[in-house]
Amino acid sequence: MTLLPRLTLLATLLAGASLHAEPMFFTPCSDTAMPGSLCSGLNVPGSYDAQGRAVGEADAMHVFVRKFAADVPAGKPAKGTLWLVAGGPGESGASFYSLLPTLRRSFPGFEFLIPDHRGTGHSSRLCKVEESEQSPAGRALLGAEWASCFKGINLMPEYAAQFSITTAARDLKALIEGERSKHKQPPVYVYSVSYGTQLVLRTLQLGPLPVQGVIFDSLVPPQADARWDLSQRSHVVNQVGMQVLARCDADAACHAALGEPAEALYRRVLDKTQADPALLAQIPGKSLKNFLGGMLDVPAARARIPYLLRDLDQGKDGELASVRATLTQAAAGLGSYPQSPLSIPLVSIISNSENNLQPSLRPNWTAADLDREEADLLLTSPLPRILLGGGLPTYPRDAYFGALPAKVPPTLVLQGTLDPKTPYAGAQAQVQALTQRKAGKVSLSTVHNAPHFILWTAPACFEQASARFIAGKQAQDCTL
């Protein structure tokens, strides 16, 4: 249970009435995660019916929101409001806290509202005891907590539906509409990243939002497209990885440093690690394919892939130590807060319910089948294997699955060409689908050479694109 005061901010619901959007009342946060920030939230139903009306208790759950006031002179109003919707699923809004300097440069004079969608951070959790702040590992699961958490959820399989994308979308809609109702001005925008873009798209399916614009960072591909669902993540990673190796071959200095095609070197190193247990033990996770796949997320680490392969081929470990330090530093750059631990139960439930097409396309798919499918890939992700395990109930897909909003406000899509999570081609397909149905003005800003999460990995490009967007200017491409 959060240490922050829980104010009941939901309007009284009349029988059969829809959920009213009520403003929140922010007070100084009682935690010390971000000094000077304000905290509040909204008490929401555990479930909604198809029309968005509360089912059961009107305040069964709580959605936490942290506010950062605008950096303006005392007594002056904010120039605008920006809602920041985190990715995941399972990730809290804490992933944005350390990025406030970039956000303030990108949206000068704006205030920032950062919710933890249900199941994450300080909002209501799937496992109330095991994921509480007072548990041994805080919001994370530790030791025996895994078994008791999973057991509790499996004893109430219907509970999973209370943490669906659509339920979280109804929460977000109520939050935004409630705040907008008390501020006719200034303008309001919504930014989201990765899974957060899927959540905001689902929110827009429920009806229009009172906002001036939406920014999608690393846009999810069409939900029902089997080329890019989560079971295909290793193929997406491999495609980007092969581009990185090819770029080394095309670069005179990189090619000279290797003295041979990068792919040929990698295949030899891969054979060596598979034949030498001692060498394999040096690789984090004991999987060179997964480790290199993870390096694609961090530009500074990604650039060292050819040189890491050269070192491993020569029996050296200096580059490996350097890369590990780079990855650790990059992760630390996102900060560590009590809200930070990912909610693995929520990841499993949402991913397997809506973003893993494998069970329907290839029933009874096994680990052996996956091994055969990924045998020829050089870079992979552990995600398809994790999803294969299941272990938690799923919820039935609703009418919003695979669909898109009828209308969207002015929308900017920021997409990296070397994104190993939400592929560039998938974002293009999503933009095309929105454009073809004439949902609204959707502009794509291509960020060449960038991976996932432009706000984090290509901040200069993010600043440029955001400034042009709120100024009403045409989107431009950028290069990392």
Side-chain angles (χ1 to χ4, degrees), residues 268-284 286-288 308-309 311-317 320:
R268 185 169 65 252
V269 172
L270 193 58
D271 289 340
K272 285 184 177 181
T273 58
Q274 292 173 338
D276 185 349
L279 180 57
L280 186 62
Q282 297 178 35
I283 308 299
K286 296 183 179 181
S287 171
L288 185 59
L308 171 62
L309 294 174
D311 259 28
L312 292 174
D313 186 49
Q314 297 173 356
K316 300 176 182 178
D317 59 6
L320 178 59

Side-chain angles (χ1 to χ4, degrees), residues 388-453:
L388 201 60
L392 287 175
T394 58
Y395 57 82
R397 296 167 182 169
D398 57 30
Y400 302 106
F401 174 81
L404 288 173
K407 296 293 179 183
V408 297
T411 298
L412 172 66
V413 176
L414 298 172
Q415 198 74 25
T417 57
L418 295 178
D419 189 332
K421 286 186 166 64
T422 50
Y424 183 70
Q428 286 180 306
Q430 195 77 287
V431 169
Q432 183 180 26
L434 287 166
T435 302
Q436 286 179 341
R437 68 180 297 151
K438 299 180 179 179
K441 183 180 179 181
V442 182
S443 302
L444 172 62
S445 177
T446 298
V447 186
H448 297 280
N449 303 331
H452 198 65
F453 199 178

Side-chain angles (χ1 to χ4, degrees), residues 260-418:
E260 63 181 308
E263 181 179 342
L265 171 61
Y266 183 24
R267 289 187 182 278
R268 185 169 65 252
V269 172
L270 193 58
D271 289 340
K272 285 184 177 181
T273 58
Q274 292 173 338
D276 185 349
L279 180 57
L280 186 62
Q282 297 178 35
I283 308 299
K286 296 183 179 181
S287 171
L288 185 59
K289 290 183 177 184
N290 283 351
F291 183 59
L292 265 63
M295 289 173 64
L296 298 175
D297 292 323
V298 180
R302 183 186 67 194
R304 304 307 302 173
I305 287 178
Y307 308 101
L308 171 62
L309 294 174
R310 180 191 60 187
D311 259 28
L312 292 174
D313 186 49
Q314 297 173 356
K316 300 176 182 178
D317 59 6
E319 194 68 41
L320 178 59
S322 177
V323 165
R324 295 185 69 170
T326 297
L327 293 172
T328 300
Q329 183 179 16
L334 288 175
S336 180
Y337 307 93
Q339 293 161 268
S340 294
L342 194 71
S343 174
I344 301 300
L346 188 64
V347 173
S348 175
I349 288 173
I350 290 181
S351 297
N352 279 306
S353 297
E354 299 208 43
N355 295 323
N356 179 17
L357 302 179
Q358 188 79 299
S360 57
L361 295 178
R362 294 187 282 192
N364 304 315
W365 191 251
T366 67
D369 295 321
L370 186 60
D371 288 339
R372 285 191 295 272
E373 183 181 68
E374 295 187 353
D376 293 331
L377 303 182
L378 294 184
L379 294 90
T380 55
S381 165
L383 186 57
R385 195 170 303 277
I386 293 171
L387 293 175
L388 201 60
L392 287 175
T394 58
Y395 57 82
R397 296 167 182 169
D398 57 30
Y400 302 106
F401 174 81
L404 288 173
K407 296 293 179 183
V408 297
T411 298
L412 172 66
V413 176
L414 298 172
Q415 198 74 25
T417 57
L418 295 178

Side-chain angles (χ1 to χ4, degrees), residues 40-287:
S40 187
L42 195 67
N43 288 344
V44 294
S47 299
Y48 302 87
D49 64 16
Q51 286 71 46
R53 295 172 297 204
V55 176
E57 296 181 28
D59 59 351
M61 292 195 186
H62 183 79
V63 179
F64 169 83
V65 181
R66 192 183 297 270
K67 178 179 180 178
F68 294 91
D71 187 11
V72 295
K76 294 286 186 179
K79 294 181 180 179
T81 297
L82 180 67
W83 285 88
L84 294 140
V85 183
E91 189 175 306
S92 75
S95 59
F96 295 122
Y97 295 170
S98 65
L99 302 175
L100 278 172
T102 300
L103 288 164
R104 290 202 185 281
R105 290 192 300 270
S106 304
F107 295 88
F110 273 59
E111 65 180 11
F112 304 110
L113 293 172
I114 308 179
D116 293 345
H117 52 270
R118 64 167 68 195
T120 74
H122 287 327
S123 294
S124 294
R125 306 294 289 245
L126 273 154
C127 297
K128 295 180 175 63
V129 175
E130 295 88 349
E131 291 185 300
S132 73
E133 279 190 303
Q134 289 71 40
S135 69
R139 295 298 188 187
L141 295 175
L142 179 67
E145 289 181 335
W146 286 96
S148 61
C149 173
F150 278 47
K151 180 180 179 181
I153 296 172
N154 278 299
L155 287 173
M156 299 185 298
E158 68 282 356
Y159 188 49
Q162 295 189 27
F163 291 85
S164 70
I165 299 176
T166 301
T167 11
R170 293 198 184 280
D171 294 342
L172 182 59
K173 186 174 176 63
L175 288 170
I176 294 173
E177 289 179 343
E179 280 302 285
R180 187 58 174 165
S181 68
K182 70 179 183 182
H183 295 304
K184 298 303 179 186
Q185 294 292 331
V188 178
Y189 292 84
V190 176
Y191 162 89
S192 58
V193 60
S194 195
Y195 161 75
T197 68
Q198 185 177 51
L199 177 56
V200 172
L201 281 171
R202 185 67 57 88
T203 306
L204 289 167
Q205 282 185 266
L206 302 176
L209 288 176
V211 300
Q212 277 60 55
V214 170
I215 298 176
F216 290 138
D217 181 341
S218 306
L219 179 61
V220 294
Q223 190 173 26
D225 196 314
R227 292 174 293 176
W228 300 305
D229 78 291
L230 295 184
S231 71
Q232 300 302 302
R233 176 61 60 80
S234 286
H235 292 275
V236 173
V237 168
N238 186 68
Q239 185 177 36
V240 172
M242 296 306 290
Q243 291 181 62
V244 170
L245 296 181
R247 284 169 182 241
C248 177
D249 294 338
D251 180 85
C254 186
H255 179 68
L258 300 191
E260 63 181 308
E263 181 179 342
L265 171 61
Y266 183 24
R267 289 187 182 278
R268 185 169 65 252
V269 172
L270 193 58
D271 289 340
K272 285 184 177 181
T273 58
Q274 292 173 338
D276 185 349
L279 180 57
L280 186 62
Q282 297 178 35
I283 308 299
K286 296 183 179 181
S287 171

